[in-house]
Amino acid sequence: MTQPPPTRPLPWLEPGQPFPPIHEAWGAGDPAPGLLAAGGTLDVPTLISAYSQGIFPWYSAGQPVLWWSTDPRMVLDPWRFRLHHSLAKEMRALLRQQRLHIRMDHHFGRVIRACAHTPRNGQSGTWILPPMIDAYVRLHRAGIAHSVETWIDGELVGGLYCINLGGMVFGESMFNRRSNASKMALAALVAFCRAHRLPLIDCQQETPHLGSMGACTIARDEFSRRSRQAQRLAAPIWTFDPVYWTELFDSPAAPA
């Protein structure tokens, strides 16, 4: 019987050490496809370096920091976002009643902590551990991490947080305290990206939920190329103007 090839050793990073090339990440025949390295630190320069290369941290309690570069990569083209009729109807009604408001970076800390405490199907814990929260709060203070917040009747009921380098957006996590509130935040992010001509939202890993809203998978090489191109664009100012809703509701593809 032919034996499978041995798994390549996983590189261990010392603080400040460069990442290995992303094509060296473990492949389909390895125990954790997409895993690139372990170790290193979650300081701001390291995280910026990671995201600029299409690498992201993801690990559980009791593990070292693990760095990933998945292949294929799930992405969302803002102009291919599917705004389902029922969600559009609900959002229009809330906007007419002046009950729905989108804020950006108003309460980043509350958003990331809410994401950390949101139960996930098939997961018994969270990967958004206290060191990760502290790291992304530092990224937020550095102007790199941002929150998109759904406020209804004056309450924060859902949202997401993401990373922005130039014109590239890297989605991280979402939370709900009311049905569809995280989808409203994602719709707002899409409208914002369209208004600022930001070409791509990284979704990292494939899920049916994101697929139903228009996300798709692309090869890592293509993702890397498109990400580098987007990062050359100017970064937007992260405030949400209600006029951005016209990018969704008044476009030919938007539901009636």
Side-chain angles (χ1 to χ4, degrees):
M1 178 182 294
T2 303
Q3 295 294 320
T7 298
R8 287 169 290 163
L10 186 67
W12 179 265
L13 301 179
E14 298 297 335
Q17 183 178 349
F19 290 100
I22 58 175
H23 68 262
E24 294 183 5
W26 282 358
D30 294 308
L35 184 57
L36 178 67
T41 61
L42 292 170
D43 59 22
V44 169
T46 298
L47 285 168
I48 292 175
S49 175
Y51 280 96
S52 69
Q53 299 173 67
I55 301 165
F56 59 91
W58 185 40
Y59 66 104
S60 300
Q63 295 179 328
V65 180
L66 299 177
W67 301 93
W68 302 76
S69 178
T70 52
D71 187 15
R73 190 81 162 226
M74 179 158 257
V75 298
L76 176 61
D77 179 331
W79 285 269
R80 297 191 177 186
F81 175 69
R82 292 195 201 106
L83 181 62
H84 296 292
H85 180 81
S86 58
L87 177 59
K89 182 178 179 181
E90 180 183 3
M91 290 171 63
R92 279 192 171 112
L94 289 169
L95 288 166
R96 274 197 309 269
Q97 297 159 8
Q98 299 185 353
R99 297 173 58 201
L100 168 62
H101 300 277
I102 298 296
R103 295 175 176 174
M104 290 182 162
D105 293 341
H106 188 68
H107 275 299
F108 182 88
R110 285 178 62 184
V111 169
I112 191 171
R113 288 177 176 87
C115 290
H117 293 97
T118 295
R120 314 283 178 186
N121 290 334
Q123 297 183 20
S124 58
T126 180
W127 59 271
I128 310 174
L129 303 168
M132 289 279 279
I133 292 174
D134 292 343
Y136 282 80
V137 168
R138 290 192 295 269
L139 267 184
H140 171 64
R141 290 172 180 161
I144 303 297
H146 302 278
S147 59
V148 182
E149 307 160 13
T150 302
W151 292 74
I152 297 179
D153 298 331
E155 293 185 24
L156 177 61
V157 294
L160 60 85
Y161 72 98
C162 59
I163 306 300
N164 173 224
L165 296 175
M168 184 66 198
V169 176
F170 303 85
E172 284 295 315
S173 188
M174 301 189 292
F175 81 96
N176 257 339
R177 288 182 181 150
R178 168 186 167 133
S179 177
N180 289 332
S182 63
K183 292 179 183 178
M184 294 179 191
L186 179 58
L189 176 61
V190 166
F192 177 82
C193 288
R194 289 184 180 184
H196 292 279
R197 299 301 182 259
L198 307 183
L200 200 64
I201 301 170
D202 174 30
C203 304
Q204 296 180 351
Q205 301 190 57
E206 184 174 2
T207 68
H209 173 66
L210 289 168
S212 71
M213 292 186 286
C216 65
T217 56
I218 60 176
R220 181 170 53 208
D221 286 348
E222 181 183 354
F223 169 77
S224 180
R225 177 184 61 80
R226 293 174 66 179
S227 176
R228 288 194 304 269
Q229 289 177 341
Q231 289 176 54
R232 298 188 190 109
L233 303 174
I237 296 174
W238 283 75
T239 58
F240 190 83
D241 188 326
V243 74
Y244 296 160
W245 288 127
T246 60
E247 297 286 343
L248 286 181
F249 297 132
D250 294 350
S251 70

